Amino acid sequence: SDENDNTRINVNIISPPRTSSYLSRSKGNTAKIPPKIVVKFFTHEEVSSVQELQKPNIDHISCHVNIEGSIHAQVISSHASKNPPLAIRLRDPDYPEDNYQFDTNFMTYYGSGEFNTLNIPKAILGRIKVATYQRSVTKKFMPVLVQSKVVRTGAHLEKCLIMVQIRSNLKNKGSLKDLIVCCAVPPTVISKTLKITTGEGIYDDFKRIIRWNVKELPVGNSLIFGAEVDVAMKNILVDDLPKFPVLIRCSSVSDNVSSVEVEVNEVEGYPTTIVPLRHHSFRLLHRLPS
């Protein structure tokens, strides 16, 4: 009918929501998504240590430790033309007064305990050196724990038994790699009589060194190595024990020996979404005197 024909239907059209990309293109809108930067830190330490003489409890052993450390960084930024600056601070809860040598090629230095500004050009894709550090300390709970025992046996104490035990510290974050356990054979024993009794070792008679190789030692695991040899009775007193010093080489791609930490924040005026990734490694030369 005419009445129906004159009826008007009002329809409200709802516009779709405006996305962040639309808003960023809108005139007068200055809001920007801060760039995302993935920053990788690589802390590596070259370590040598000398273990104190034997103690009854392996967990009570202390070591004199020398550490030479280096910290490198690598950044990947979503910004098309430049990398935002980063605020970097190094600290060690165990040694708060320790000093670091920062590389001033990419670092604006304000102080050892301060946040220093790291600027890495966009053109640099690889790692750059951030800082180095050195220290000489006494430390418990080394990544590898070592004990040895020497006894004389036989009717005339003419034989000598050697036992070496190594253990990967329970506090390690990852396995120890490429272990080499060496035991020096003294002149107070007859080297040509030496037999390896435990572990797949090799004896070098020219160097007078017993050597055991272990590819990997998981966290908390332990291994025992052993050998026996005749004593050179003319060269040693009946009550004396031959001395067999032990040396161990090993490495890790999961841990550091020190407690150095790298803190990273955005620099004021440069809003940035930071994704930090940290990698730790060391190589260790560890000595157990006889």
Side-chain angles (χ1 to χ4, degrees):
S1 64
D2 292 343
E3 183 179 353
N4 291 336
D5 290 341
N6 292 332
T7 300
R8 293 183 178 181
I9 301 174
N10 295 322
V11 178
N12 293 324
I13 300 175
I14 301 174
S15 300
R18 295 180 176 180
T19 63
S20 57
S21 60
Y22 176 92
L23 293 174
S24 64
R25 296 193 303 267
S26 299
K27 184 178 179 180
N29 191 319
T30 59
K32 294 182 179 179
I33 299 175
K36 178 181 177 180
I37 182 167
V38 177
V39 54
K40 300 178 181 180
F41 293 106
F42 304 86
T43 304
H44 177 74
E45 294 178 340
E46 294 287 334
V47 185
S48 63
S49 59
V50 179
Q51 186 170 309
E52 289 181 348
L53 295 179
Q54 306 287 356
K55 289 192 175 182
N57 190 332
I58 196 170
D59 293 320
H60 294 166
I61 293 172
S62 295
C63 300
H64 303 286
V65 185
N66 291 304
I67 301 173
E68 293 186 0
S70 63
I71 300 172
H72 289 73
Q74 181 181 19
V75 298
I76 303 172
S77 172
S78 64
H79 197 287
S81 59
K82 63 181 180 180
N83 293 329
L86 299 170
I88 304 294
R89 181 168 68 180
L90 307 181
R91 60 185 297 271
D92 188 335
D94 295 335
Y95 304 97
E97 301 302 323
D98 200 27
N99 292 321
Y100 303 90
Q101 293 75 49
F102 286 91
D103 190 321
T104 55
N105 289 322
F106 303 99
M107 183 76 66
T108 303
Y109 180 71
Y110 301 108
S112 183
E114 305 294 331
F115 275 98
N116 302 284
T117 304
L118 178 66
N119 283 284
I120 301 179
K122 187 73 175 179
I124 296 181
L125 303 178
R127 304 180 189 181
I128 62 95
K129 184 167 68 175
V130 175
T132 59
Y133 55 94
Q134 294 180 336
R135 63 174 55 123
S136 180
V137 298
T138 299
K139 186 176 177 64
K140 288 187 177 181
F141 307 116
M142 290 293 288
V144 61
L145 308 173
V146 189
Q147 283 187 312
S148 69
K149 188 174 183 178
V150 178
V151 297
R152 289 179 65 173
T153 185
H156 303 286
L157 300 179
E158 72 278 6
K159 282 196 174 291
C160 186
L161 306 180
I162 310 109
M163 184 274 290
V164 178
Q165 180 182 16
I166 65 172
R167 190 178 83 191
S168 175
N169 198 319
L170 282 168
K171 294 185 178 181
N172 292 348
K173 296 177 182 177
S175 299
L176 297 175
K177 308 284 188 182
D178 301 322
L179 294 95
I180 302 174
V181 180
C182 295
C183 183
V185 176
T188 49
V189 300
I190 304 170
S191 63
K192 65 181 181 181
T193 66
L194 188 138
K195 297 178 181 178
I196 296 172
T197 56
T198 308
E200 297 181 1
I202 299 172
Y203 176 59
D204 186 327
D205 190 33
F206 179 75
K207 296 180 179 178
R208 296 180 71 94
I209 294 289
I210 313 170
R211 173 172 169 162
W212 292 274
N213 287 47
V214 179
K215 190 65 178 175
E216 183 174 2
L217 186 61
V219 175
N221 284 22
S222 63
L223 290 173
I224 293 177
F225 308 101
E228 65 178 44
V229 65
D230 291 348
V231 177
M233 301 297 287
K234 294 181 180 180
N235 299 337
I236 191 170
L237 297 175
V238 174
D239 295 334
D240 287 347
L241 289 174
K243 298 183 182 299
F244 296 84
V246 177
L247 183 145
I248 296 178
R249 293 181 182 271
C250 64
S251 62
S252 171
V253 293
S254 306
D255 293 277
N256 290 139
V257 175
S258 76
S259 302
V260 170
E261 299 175 354
V262 183
E263 297 180 66
V264 56
N265 284 325
E266 63 180 33
V267 174
E268 186 176 356
Y270 295 87
T272 309
T273 301
I274 302 173
V275 181
L277 302 175
R278 295 174 173 85
H279 303 268
H280 306 276
S281 61
F282 69 76
R283 290 195 304 181
L284 172 64
L285 177 65
H286 184 76
R287 296 178 178 87
L288 174 62
S290 56

